[in-house]
């Protein structure tokens, strides 16, 4: 509601300084006229009935406002559940144990539905065959019902752009020399909202995109997929603790205007494979490489994802390069398909920063202070003729949790009927895995419990596999 009001006021103010002035003068004259008219009426009629009516009107308006805010809260709270099902019951009914990954980590067991396409190894060769002219076309039925499907995201921030789509994939095998081949094309974020991200939204009756196009016990092969399937990019960013390079994990907290994971924890970087503008830079115009993904998605997104300045990261990297050391160490972990969103692909990474939590907190505080000062200055400069547009950020700037990695666990899952904790291996279709919370201790030894995005758990799976590989335990 607040964003709608801001946008309405912005649309009034933005066209010209003169119109803004006239609007302000008109509003002021109207308010003064109402005040004088009310005062004259009260004096003329001895005021008793009028005062009672005015008080009743104010109470009615306040009650209406409270009800409206409650409706908005309910819509925000239930939107994610209505458009994509994270219920274990629904996943079990369609896929059974297929795609169900259960793994132990940090004295806890984690459960997630995903299809790992491959776990990356440092020496492994990855070939990317990109066709920028291969643009995804929506099925006619989805086009016909695009208005209904967009209603699934009524409470979310939406901004369309060209995206990179996974059109096919060849896993590394002995026959192909252990080469992983990624085939990519193009799609759009709008197509993503109409397909993968509205997969279980009821279009007509109980008909949904999943029931139409992903109705089998297995995912449809990528080359026959009817969904947008653009690349997501997830990365765990760690700060060191003594000798431990993964001492603390940074966990951003999403706002309630995100298209997924509202009011939930996400991976340190949780974005899509982006392009500057609508095309790749010239050196990557007709192809996509592993280097581009790392440079274009990790390095270009880390500063804004963990709320530090790019200048700070650049300065640190320059200092470390002079000593032949690395401040930022990026490792590609692999590629997976998210079952909840119908097989949407995600590239997983881990990033190590050679900084303590105190160094990070100091830099973040300075960055936020500078950003606020700039915004205040900008507001003063434009306040005479227009209002600033609402921010498009979907992360809470004050809620980047610094979680001690060894303390990160999943809350014990309980049986719906008995309320007793139950082991994931014994879980049957009616246990609500989607209700589990992530628990952890922060750098000040405070304990937290919070809902989380399912892809964060997939990132944990890939990271755990990588660490076991390092230790030779896999």
């Amino acid at each position: 509601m607040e964003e709608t009001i801001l946008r309405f006021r912005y649309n009034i103010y933005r066209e010209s300084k003169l119109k803004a002035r006239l609007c302000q003068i008109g509003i002021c004259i109207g308010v003064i006229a109402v005040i004088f008219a009310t005062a004259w009426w009260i004096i003329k009629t001895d005021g008793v009935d009028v005062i009672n009516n005015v008080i009743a009107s104010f109470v009615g308006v306040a009650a209406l406002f409270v009800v409206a805010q409650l409706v908005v809260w309910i819509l925000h709270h239930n939107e994610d559940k209505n458009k994509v099902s994270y219920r274990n019951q629904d996943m079990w009914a369609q896929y059974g144990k297929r795609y169900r990954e259960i793994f132990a980590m940090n004295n806890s067991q984690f459960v997630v539905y995903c299809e790992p396409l491959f776990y990356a190894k440092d020496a492994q060769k990855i070939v990317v065959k990109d066709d920028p002219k291969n643009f995804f076309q929506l099925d006619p039925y989805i086009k016909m019902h695009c208005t209904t499907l967009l209603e699934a995201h009524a409470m979310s921030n939406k901004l369309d752009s060209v995206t990179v789509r996974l059109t096919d994939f060849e896993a590394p095998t002995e026959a192909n020399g252990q080469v992983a081949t990624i085939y990519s094309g193009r799609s759009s974020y709008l197509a993503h909202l109409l397909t993968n991200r509205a997969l279980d939204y009821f279009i007509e009756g109980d008909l949904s995109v999943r029931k139409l196009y992903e109705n089998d016990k297995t995912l449809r092969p990528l080359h026959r997929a009817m969904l947008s399937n653009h690349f997501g990019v997830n990365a765990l960013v760690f700060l060191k603790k003594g000798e431990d390079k993964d001492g603390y994990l940074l966990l951003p907290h999403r706002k309630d205007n995100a298209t997924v994971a509202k009011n939930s924890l996400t991976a340190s970087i949780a974005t899509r494979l982006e392009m500057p503008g609508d095309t790749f830079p010239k050196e990557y115009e007709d192809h996509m490489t592993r280097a581009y993904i790392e440079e274009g998605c990790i390095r270009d997104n880390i500063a804004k994802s963990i709320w530090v300045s790019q200048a700070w990261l650049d300065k640190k990297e320059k200092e470390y390069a002079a000593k032949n050391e690395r401040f930022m160490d990026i490792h590609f972990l692999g590629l997976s398909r998210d079952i909840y969103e119908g097989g949407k692909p995600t590239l997983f990474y881990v990033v190590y920063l050679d900084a303590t939590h105190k160094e990070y907190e100091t830099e973040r505080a300075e960055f936020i202070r500078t950003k606020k000062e700039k915004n205040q200055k900008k507001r003063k400069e434009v306040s005479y003729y227009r209002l600033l547009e609402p921010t498009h950020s979907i992360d809470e700037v004050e809620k980047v949790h610094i979680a001690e990695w060894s303390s990160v666990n999943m809350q014990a899952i309980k049986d719906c009927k008995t309320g007793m904790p139950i082991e994931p291996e014994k879980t049957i279709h009616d246990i609500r895995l989607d209700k589990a919370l992530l628990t952890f201790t922060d750098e000040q030894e405070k304990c937290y419990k919070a809902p989380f995005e399912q892809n964060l758990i997939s990132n944990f799976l890939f990271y755990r596999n990588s660490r076991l590989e390092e230790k030779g335990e896999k």
Side-chain angles (χ1 to χ4, degrees), residues 144-164:
M144 188 187 306
H145 294 88
C146 64
T147 303
T148 301
L149 289 167
L150 272 180
E151 288 174 359
H153 311 284
M155 309 305 293
S156 301
N157 211 339
K158 299 173 285 292
L159 193 64
D160 196 22
S161 65
V162 175
T163 57
V164 183

Side-chain angles (χ1 to χ4, degrees), residues 38-57:
T38 304
W40 177 81
W41 192 10
I42 291 173
I43 294 170
K44 187 82 173 174
T45 59
D46 293 332
V48 177
D49 291 338
V50 175
I51 290 173
N52 288 337
N53 287 335
V54 169
I55 292 172
S57 297

Side-chain angles (χ1 to χ4, degrees), residues 52-107:
N52 288 337
N53 287 335
V54 169
I55 292 172
S57 297
F58 274 114
V59 171
V61 170
L64 184 63
F65 178 78
V66 170
V67 171
Q69 290 293 92
L70 181 61
V71 170
V72 170
W73 180 86
I74 292 171
L75 290 173
H76 272 295
H77 185 70
N78 291 305
E79 184 181 277
D80 285 359
K81 300 175 185 176
N82 291 335
K83 59 193 183 185
V84 176
S85 176
Y86 293 96
R87 289 167 54 90
N88 187 63
Q89 179 178 352
D90 296 337
M91 295 298 103
W92 185 280
Q94 181 155 350
Y95 305 110
K97 290 185 178 181
R98 187 180 285 111
Y99 308 126
R100 193 159 171 264
E101 299 285 340
I102 301 173
F103 61 100
M105 189 186 76
N106 293 349
N107 303 316

